[in-house]
Amino acid sequence: MKTKTVYACQKCGYQSAKWLGRCPDCNSWNTLEEELQLKTGLQSGVSSPDLPPLPISQVGGEAEMRLPTGISEFDRVLGGGLVAGSLVLIGGDPGIGKSTLLLQATDHFAKASGSVLYVSGEESARQIKLRGARMGVNASDLFILAETSLEKILTHAQRMQPKALVVDSIQTIFTSALESAPGSVSQVRETAGRLMMLAKGSGIPVFLVGHVTKDGSIAGPRVLEHLVDTVLYFEGDSGHPFRILRAVKNRFGSTNEIGVFEMKEGGLFEVKNPSELFLSERPLGVSGSVVVATLEGSRPLLVELQALVTASSLGVPRRTTIGVDHNRLSLLVAVLEKKVGLTLSGQDIFLNVAGGVKLNEPAADLGMVTAVASSHLDKTVDQHTLLLGEVGLAGEVRGITQPELRVKEAAKLGFSRCILPAGNLKQVKAKGMELIGVRSVEETLEKAF
């Protein structure tokens, strides 16, 4: 077996025959490190028999059988359950709850489906036992292995033939075929490739836990995310108990679904009605507070937007946002100044999405401009009013997708009034809900206050 020396970028995986101070691919400085790479021998691909090409009409199209994990919010994000032979990568900030979620899920899975092998390269078996005891994890078919050698892990997996395998984390696992340190580009690529061969060859679903970098992306080469079937990100703020599990890639389901959890002393608990939880501590009769509805996959979420507008003592007023795009706020503030006539150039503006939720769709625009205007004018918006709509640069209010789903969710929580784009009025039918169609931001503010 021959080897060769290469210099690999530890951030993006770029390889060079000589050392470079700056990576030509990702432009990062001092990230190329010397590694010994296999020239022939181990391959990360999956070998398959020599089969002739088939017309697509003759290819078997049976639906994948789903295996429930026992946590419905987790199953929702996976697309309905775990698929046999799938490779799932879970990333998130340290301490966000990745290991906790997998330990709870494997406990339920072991009780319902059979043996599960949980491999930890960061904690001892005793540490996992103590954490599991706090969460009530006690499945007799859940086996714990504290190991970092890939060869030993594969030996145990092939001997046990578990119903599922968890590797926590992929950056701590190494193969003796490579001399580079665990967590390096070549080690992550090779170990993940070998685990993929195990999953596809034996039908064992494999979970990989991945560390994240300072910018929030999964550490290691991008090929790691291309290699797996599903990539899940665990999001949340350490100051809030809520956690959101989001799929950014899923070969077996939608990438728009999210799962909502609440972190407590006994572990992660599912949030069946996240809208009610996000609005449970909403202040009433206060200026700058409005409620909007965002759509995450097939699930509508009602969240509170809070704005604070105050006179600035700085030469350049501040525009601070949490949970929404900073540039979007600047755009909407310009619309309020130009089209409505509000004087905001000398004001500090702070905008926050309560509960730690992140809003990425333009349907929250109308709520953002109303919250800013409400705080600036010190006028309150009725507590039972929902605001929906996208705002254009001309001050017009544009239609949004699936308004009826959002309005129905608001009606369930006791909202009786909804301000939405006039173009969406024909699409919405809700009993007991007053629907007010608007065409401009100025008209919206007249109806809201």
Side-chain angles (χ1 to χ4, degrees):
M1 186 180 297
K2 298 180 180 180
T3 60
K4 65 176 181 179
T5 299
V6 296
Y7 291 88
C9 175
Q10 301 302 302
K11 186 173 182 180
C12 69
Y14 175 83
Q15 293 183 351
S16 172
K18 61 180 181 179
W19 185 84
L20 301 172
R22 185 178 186 180
C23 174
D25 197 11
C26 65
N27 296 323
S28 300
W29 289 93
N30 298 323
T31 56
L32 269 71
E33 295 184 6
E34 184 179 8
E35 295 181 359
L36 289 178
Q37 188 182 53
L38 293 176
K39 191 171 183 180
T40 60
L42 294 175
Q43 299 293 329
S44 294
V46 180
S47 60
S48 59
D50 187 12
L51 298 175
L54 291 176
I56 192 170
S57 59
Q58 297 182 17
V59 177
E62 297 81 6
E64 296 285 351
M65 186 179 69
R66 300 282 181 171
L67 303 172
T69 63
I71 301 178
S72 58
E73 291 292 302
F74 197 11
D75 290 338
R76 172 196 290 269
V77 181
L78 288 172
L82 195 57
V83 176
S86 61
L87 192 62
V88 181
L89 176 64
I90 300 181
D93 293 333
I96 200 70
K98 303 182 296 297
S99 301
T100 300
L101 174 65
L102 285 176
L103 195 59
Q104 291 181 240
T106 51
D107 178 59
H108 292 297
F109 189 83
K111 292 176 180 177
S113 302
S115 61
V116 176
L117 180 58
Y118 189 105
V119 180
S120 176
E122 301 177 344
E123 297 178 286
S124 66
R126 178 177 174 78
Q127 288 176 304
I128 298 174
K129 168 64 178 178
L130 292 174
R131 182 155 49 89
R134 189 182 73 248
M135 299 182 293
V137 174
N138 55 10
S140 58
D141 284 332
L142 177 57
F143 296 87
I144 307 299
L145 175 65
E147 185 57 70
T148 57
S149 171
L150 176 66
E151 286 74 18
K152 293 182 180 179
I153 294 171
L154 295 177
T155 299
H156 286 292
Q158 291 167 356
R159 183 184 304 156
M160 284 182 56
Q161 289 297 310
K163 298 297 182 182
L165 171 65
V166 176
V167 178
D168 183 6
S169 67
I170 187 63
Q171 278 83 11
T172 62
I173 308 301
F174 71 94
T175 173
S176 58
L178 299 174
E179 296 186 10
S180 53
S184 62
V185 170
S186 57
Q187 285 283 5
V188 171
R189 181 191 296 115
E190 186 62 32
T191 53
R194 295 280 298 280
L195 289 169
M196 184 193 71
M197 293 176 63
L198 172 68
K200 303 304 180 184
S202 62
I204 300 174
V206 178
F207 287 100
L208 305 178
V209 176
H211 292 166
V212 296
T213 58
K214 292 181 179 179
D215 60 1
S217 60
I218 295 179
R222 294 295 294 184
V223 70
L224 179 60
E225 296 187 38
H226 295 300
L227 189 68
V228 300
D229 299 309
T230 305
V231 180
L232 307 179
Y233 274 92
F234 220 12
E235 304 172 355
D237 189 345
S238 58
H240 293 281
F242 308 121
R243 302 288 187 268
I244 295 178
L245 184 66
R246 188 186 305 273
V248 297
K249 173 187 176 181
N250 194 351
R251 289 174 179 164
F252 305 112
S254 172
T255 57
N256 295 321
E257 297 291 352
I258 66 167
V260 183
F261 300 87
E262 184 178 6
M263 178 66 80
K264 297 182 180 180
E265 185 179 355
L268 288 166
F269 291 83
E270 299 176 79
V271 177
K272 299 295 185 181
N273 191 344
S275 297
E276 184 177 5
L277 191 62
F278 290 143
L279 299 179
S280 60
E281 299 180 2
R282 178 168 64 109
L284 304 179
V286 177
S287 62
S289 174
V290 301
V291 177
V292 299
T294 183
L295 207 59
E296 296 286 356
S298 60
R299 166 184 282 178
L301 291 180
L302 268 62
V303 295
E304 179 193 5
L305 273 174
Q306 296 179 330
L308 179 62
V309 180
T310 180
S312 178
S313 59
L314 304 175
V316 179
R318 288 173 290 183
R319 301 287 187 264
T320 304
T321 63
I322 300 177
V324 295
D325 183 24
H326 176 270
N327 294 324
R328 194 72 183 173
L329 174 63
S330 300
L331 182 150
L332 296 175
V333 168
V335 171
L336 284 173
E337 289 187 321
K338 182 73 175 180
K339 302 299 179 182
V340 182
L342 298 184
T343 305
L344 299 171
S345 58
Q347 306 288 320
D348 286 334
I349 301 178
F350 307 91
L351 190 65
N352 174 49
V353 184
V357 182
K358 295 181 180 179
L359 299 181
N360 299 315
E361 62 169 347
D365 287 355
L366 207 59
M368 292 170 64
V369 296
T370 305
V372 171
S374 170
S375 179
H376 179 64
L377 301 173
D378 200 20
K379 293 183 178 180
T380 61
V381 178
D382 181 69
Q383 63 184 25
H384 298 109
T385 299
L386 177 74
L387 289 116
L388 303 172
E390 179 184 355
V391 175
L393 290 179
E396 80 279 15
V397 178
R398 296 171 174 265
I400 59 173
T401 59
Q402 299 183 328
E404 187 171 6
L405 198 60
R406 307 170 197 256
V407 172
K408 284 184 177 179
E409 178 70 13
K412 291 178 184 177
L413 295 178
F415 286 79
S416 58
R417 187 165 174 257
C418 179
I419 300 177
L420 73 165
N424 288 132
L425 279 176
K426 295 181 180 179
Q427 306 174 28
V428 181
K429 295 179 182 179
K431 293 182 180 180
M433 178 75 75
E434 179 187 1
L435 302 176
I436 302 175
V438 293
R439 299 185 182 279
S440 66
V441 173
E442 190 173 7
E443 184 183 359
T444 300
L445 299 183
E446 292 176 359
K447 302 288 186 182
F449 303 137

